[in-house]
Amino acid sequence: MRLPGNRDIFVQNTVLKIQPAHALLPSIIAFLALSACGGNSSDAPVQPPPPTTALSLFAGSTDGLGNQDGTATAARLGRLVRGLAVSPAGDVVIADTSNNAIRKLSTTGQVSTLAGGGVTPFDISSALTTNHADGTGPTAKFSAPEAVAVDALGNTYVADTVNNVVRKIDTAGTTTTLAGQPGVSGNTDGSGQAATFYRPSSIAVDRAGNVYVTEWLHAGGGNPIRKITPSGVVSTVTTKASQVPSRTHFSGGQYIYYYLPVRVAVDTTGTIYTADPNDHVVRKFNPDGTSTVLSGTVTEDIVGYADGAASVAKFGSMDAIALDHQGRLFVLDGNGSNKRIRQIGVDGSVSTVVQSPACSTYSTPGHGLCAATDLAVDTAGNLIVNETGFTKTSPLSGPYTLIRKYAPNDATPTVMAGMLSGVGLQDGMGSAARFSHPVGLAMGKTGTLYIADSENHVIRAVSPDGTARTLGTPGKPFPLGFAGRVNDVSFPFVSLLATDSTENLYVPMGARIAKITAAGDVAFMADLNALVNLPTASSSFISGITVDSAGNVYAAAESSGAIFKINPKGDVTVFAGSLRNTGHADGPGSVARFGYLGSMATDAADNLYVIDAGNYHDQNVGPTIRKITPAGVVTTLAGRADTAPALVDGPRTVAQLTVAEPNRWPTAHLAVDAKGNVYVTDPFNSVVRKIAVADGQVSTLAGQQGRYGFAAGELPGMLNRPMGAVVRDSTLYVSMAHAVVQIKLP
């Protein structure tokens, strides 16, 4: 899913519940409109209950994805978990692919990070990059590892897929590179770094410590199996583990042929077993180098399921293969409509052990096999699978990751680790409310918190006691010339909001600004398209909005180079900067230069603050926070435009900021308290920064760098990619994942 202007979004969710629109009686329009927004008919501010701790939940659910360690019911896993293995002690080792980490689920139910993790450049919707470092615990770095194996001594081996290397994590937690060259692809045999690999995808280790890796063939035409001795010497078992390639047919075009890597397991005798998604068979590679088909018949097409003798058995996707401690062989198999765990006898006969219900395109929570991609068996014979799915049957549903367990002879799984996403559209108080990727926040004079509920395409209003209500109706488009009632439309991918002193709400939509009055009437108040979107210029959208005490609206338009001022009559002028003249320069009015503009905020003296990310595609240009006086004079409040983005605290001229994912549009937001302190969210590092008004010192207020989850209590706590921010009195409200949290300010 893409936002306007090809801007990526972090999480893809959908509407779970639609709230009905309510008509407003003319005699009490103002009262009911404010009530529908979670407000109060009185001008007297309603005081919210004080937070019980420095960091606490205000509304919504903090459940979902992340990399938080802890108990199995509190721990969070990444969006992609690809590899599973069981240690001799019974711990489950997990390749947490999207977190670039190797996690461990202990027999006592605790999830910990064995190696890697932290802030890394991997993202499933961006170009994968080399992210490699040896070291102990979190100092090690991985790049999208897809498979793990554990030897008899408890050492873990990792197919570090995008780094094109094989890693070893010893029992002390120290990671070393066993073989391969980081970032160099190939299929060359040799010792240690003399060898090369091409996207190693499956891994197994035998009793003698030999490691077997399957991969793609760098030049095409095969799918090798490689062997690595304990000393790191690499040889090729076979350059082509399959006989026939897989194929994909595009409408009106020819078939595209390719060989998928086989899935690999090895028994105590050194015999290799492969689940072959190309040939749709289980194959056996003997220690003497010969190979035979153990079960199934080689075929080019997925023909479905058939249990029975080896000669009649049929297989589908062949997602994973595993051996238990008794040497019994299991395969995770699918054919596009459902999945099964199948047991392969020593004679090649096949029986189905666990069968999922019919799977829709996207999995349903509870149908653990539908979205499973890997399989392991523990010492008690429990079958363990990953599950990376969505909470509803739509590509916009809340993603989640679980580790599930099937006990022997029991088709009902139990959750071992992970949690479902707390996504939805549900009104209610506090944790009973549900949001879907809330972003921008704005505070009304009565204490109502307005939330841009972006994936639900509505605006939410949360009263000071934490009760959420809905403005708008999902699924109703916003017509270009619309003027009407707020509950008659939706607000597609709304991400920014601002309020004025009379509780009017301003909502950017592309390069236009809609105004919602306190009575619930909606109309467009300004259209910046003619200024920012010329035929010869790239499109630009409103990326920041704020309002001063006189009711003037200020808007920042991405790469336009300008800050616009819209008076209450709707007249638009350039307030600071110069249209289509970008750069970084302080000074008055049109002398100033901006790069890529983002979120805005206003202080009590009507000074404006705006995020200036420089050239956000150039990671050597760092973001800054710019200050603009009511007279239009621009200065740099904090950050360095001459240095790459980073998380560095200190004096304003030394501190470095990060306001976006690498090579992404800025997603950080600003807020200002009554004293003039400025707060900046940092979704990439998962922290909130503070710029002190007294001396410009930049510090990290909340969150832990690279940790994605939620831990209430004393600061710094833990946040999950904080985005929107707004202050009321001594409380900072921050949106993240599917919730809004509150931070008690000193």
Side-chain angles (χ1 to χ4, degrees):
M1 180 59 63
R2 307 282 285 185
L3 288 173
N6 291 329
R7 299 181 297 180
D8 293 295
I9 57 177
F10 281 124
V11 185
Q12 298 179 349
N13 305 311
T14 193
V15 174
L16 295 187
K17 179 179 179 182
I18 297 178
Q19 301 298 315
H22 296 282
L24 302 178
L25 296 176
S27 61
I28 51 172
I29 282 178
F31 174 82
L32 287 183
L34 285 172
S35 177
C37 299
N40 190 289
S41 60
S42 171
D43 288 338
V46 177
Q47 294 300 321
T52 56
T53 59
L55 174 62
S56 59
L57 174 68
F58 181 59
S61 171
T62 60
D63 292 350
L65 303 176
N67 63 7
Q68 184 172 349
D69 291 336
T71 62
T73 55
R76 292 163 172 80
L77 301 170
R79 177 66 190 90
L80 295 177
V81 167
R82 288 285 174 82
L84 299 172
V86 177
S87 75
D91 301 325
V92 180
V93 180
I94 304 164
D96 194 344
T97 307
S98 55
N99 279 322
N100 292 330
I102 307 303
R103 315 285 293 280
K104 183 176 75 172
L105 171 60
S106 72
T107 55
T108 60
Q110 292 288 318
V111 175
S112 60
T113 300
L114 186 61
V119 177
T120 59
F122 172 70
D123 187 278
I124 62 173
S125 55
S126 68
L128 302 178
T129 57
T130 301
N131 185 66
H132 177 277
D134 289 339
T136 301
T139 63
K141 294 185 181 299
F142 300 85
S143 191
E146 289 191 4
V148 288
V150 184
D151 68 15
L153 300 176
N155 300 299
T156 299
Y157 299 87
V158 182
D160 194 358
T161 306
V162 175
N163 277 328
N164 293 311
V165 294
V166 176
R167 317 287 290 279
K168 178 181 178 180
I169 308 171
D170 65 21
T171 54
T174 300
T175 300
T176 55
T177 300
L178 181 64
Q181 301 175 40
V184 178
S185 59
N187 307 105
T188 303
D189 290 341
S191 182
Q193 287 200 356
T196 58
F197 297 89
Y198 186 57
R199 298 185 67 86
S201 303
S202 182
I203 193 168
V205 58
D206 67 18
R207 177 177 289 180
N210 296 301
V211 177
Y212 300 88
V213 178
T214 70
E215 58 183 337
W216 302 73
L217 190 66
H218 184 252
N223 50 350
I225 300 174
R226 315 284 293 284
K227 177 182 178 180
I228 312 168
T229 68
S231 62
V233 177
V234 180
S235 59
T236 299
V237 176
T238 178
T239 58
K240 185 181 288 188
S242 304
Q243 293 182 18
V244 297
S246 293
R247 64 182 185 179
T248 299
H249 180 263
F250 295 97
S251 179
Q254 299 295 319
Y255 280 107
I256 296 176
Y257 293 89
Y258 50 90
Y259 285 88
L260 294 168
V262 297
R263 324 306 180 193
V264 64
V266 60
D267 68 14
T268 56
T269 68
T271 299
I272 302 169
Y273 298 89
T274 63
D276 191 334
N278 306 292
D279 294 346
H280 309 295
V281 298
V282 175
R283 192 173 270 111
K284 180 178 178 181
F285 290 83
N286 299 306
D288 62 5
T290 60
S291 65
T292 56
V293 172
L294 175 63
S295 187
T297 303
V298 174
T299 177
E300 186 176 45
D301 298 310
I302 296 178
V303 293
Y305 295 116
D307 288 344
S311 59
V312 301
K314 295 179 181 179
F315 297 92
S317 59
M318 310 289 281
D319 299 289
I321 189 169
L323 285 157
D324 70 7
H325 285 261
Q326 300 179 41
R328 295 180 298 183
L329 191 64
F330 298 88
V331 172
L332 175 64
D333 195 20
N335 69 353
S337 63
N338 57 17
K339 286 195 176 182
R340 305 180 184 189
I341 298 175
R342 310 175 74 185
Q343 183 174 342
I344 317 299
V346 293
D347 59 354
S349 59
V350 180
S351 59
T352 295
V353 179
V354 179
Q355 180 176 345
S356 71
C359 302
S360 59
T361 304
Y362 296 92
S363 68
T364 302
H367 299 171
L369 288 182
C370 293
T373 60
D374 208 347
L375 172 69
V377 190
D378 68 15
T379 53
N382 297 302
L383 301 166
I384 301 169
V385 298
N386 58 355
E387 180 183 344
T388 55
F390 295 85
T391 55
K392 289 292 259 185
T393 56
S394 166
L396 293 181
S397 302
Y400 68 90
T401 296
L402 302 174
I403 306 298
R404 292 190 186 268
K405 177 176 69 176
Y406 292 86
N409 303 314
D410 188 350
T412 303
T414 57
V415 175
M416 298 183 70
M419 60 178 66
L420 296 176
S421 176
V423 63
L425 175 52
Q426 181 171 309
D427 291 339
M429 181 178 288
S431 61
R434 289 292 179 268
F435 304 89
S436 186
H437 192 47
V439 187
L441 304 177
M443 184 63 68
K445 67 172 184 176
T446 60
T448 298
L449 177 66
Y450 297 97
I451 303 170
D453 196 353
S454 65
E455 294 291 318
N456 280 324
H457 315 303
V458 295
I459 298 166
R460 311 293 290 282
V462 185
S463 60
D465 67 357
T467 301
R469 293 181 172 87
T470 300
L471 284 172
T473 299
K476 289 189 175 182
F478 201 120
L480 292 179
F482 176 80
R485 304 297 299 167
V486 66
N487 282 330
D488 290 337
V489 293
S490 63
F491 301 87
F493 299 109
V494 56
S495 62
L496 298 170
L497 298 172
T499 54
D500 64 17
S501 60
T502 58
E503 206 88 8
N504 295 307
L505 192 61
Y506 300 90
V507 187
M509 303 180 71
R512 310 173 84 197
I513 299 173
K515 178 180 178 180
I516 307 173
T517 69
D521 294 315
V522 187
F524 281 110
M525 70 162 295
D527 189 341
L528 304 184
N529 274 291
L531 292 171
V532 303
N533 294 326
L534 298 180
T536 57
S538 60
S539 61
S540 191
F541 295 83
I542 295 173
S543 53
I545 189 169
T546 191
V547 186
D548 68 15
S549 60
N552 297 299
V553 177
Y554 298 86
E558 291 186 323
S559 55
S560 68
I563 304 291
F564 299 94
K565 180 179 180 178
I566 305 106
N567 66 21
K569 296 180 181 180
D571 300 322
V572 182
T573 56
V574 175
F575 180 63
S578 178
L579 271 173
R580 286 171 289 283
N581 291 315
T582 58
H584 190 281
D586 292 339
S590 61
V591 174
R593 292 291 180 269
F594 300 97
Y596 198 93
L597 294 167
S599 171
M600 299 180 71
T602 311
D603 67 15
D606 283 339
N607 295 298
L608 307 181
Y609 301 87
V610 63
I611 291 175
D612 187 355
N615 179 358
Y616 80 108
H617 280 298
D618 182 352
Q619 291 300 294
N620 292 316
V621 179
T624 57
I625 307 301
R626 314 292 292 278
K627 178 180 179 179
I628 312 170
T629 68
V633 178
V634 180
T635 56
T636 299
L637 179 68
R640 295 184 58 181
D642 61 345
T643 308
L647 199 165
V648 177
D649 289 337
R652 70 175 73 203
T653 57
V654 174
Q656 293 171 252
L657 307 173
T658 303
V659 298
E661 297 277 349
N663 299 317
R664 299 295 185 87
W665 61 289
T667 50
H669 284 241
L670 292 178
V672 187
D673 66 18
K675 300 175 184 178
N677 299 303
V678 177
Y679 302 90
V680 188
T681 61
D682 181 346
F684 178 60
N685 288 302
S686 213
V687 298
V688 175
R689 315 284 293 281
K690 176 183 177 181
I691 307 171
V693 64
D695 56 8
Q697 190 80 5
V698 179
S699 59
T700 300
L701 173 69
Q704 303 174 44
Q705 185 179 19
R707 306 306 299 172
Y708 307 111
F710 182 66
E714 297 309 308
L715 297 178
M718 188 182 298
L719 302 171
N720 199 341
R721 299 186 181 274
M723 295 186 69
V726 71
V727 175
R728 185 192 185 201
D729 299 331
S730 60
T731 302
L732 173 65
Y733 297 89
V734 175
S735 64
M736 53 168 238
H738 311 301
V740 176
V741 300
Q742 51 190 352
I743 301 171
K744 186 162 46 176
L745 299 175

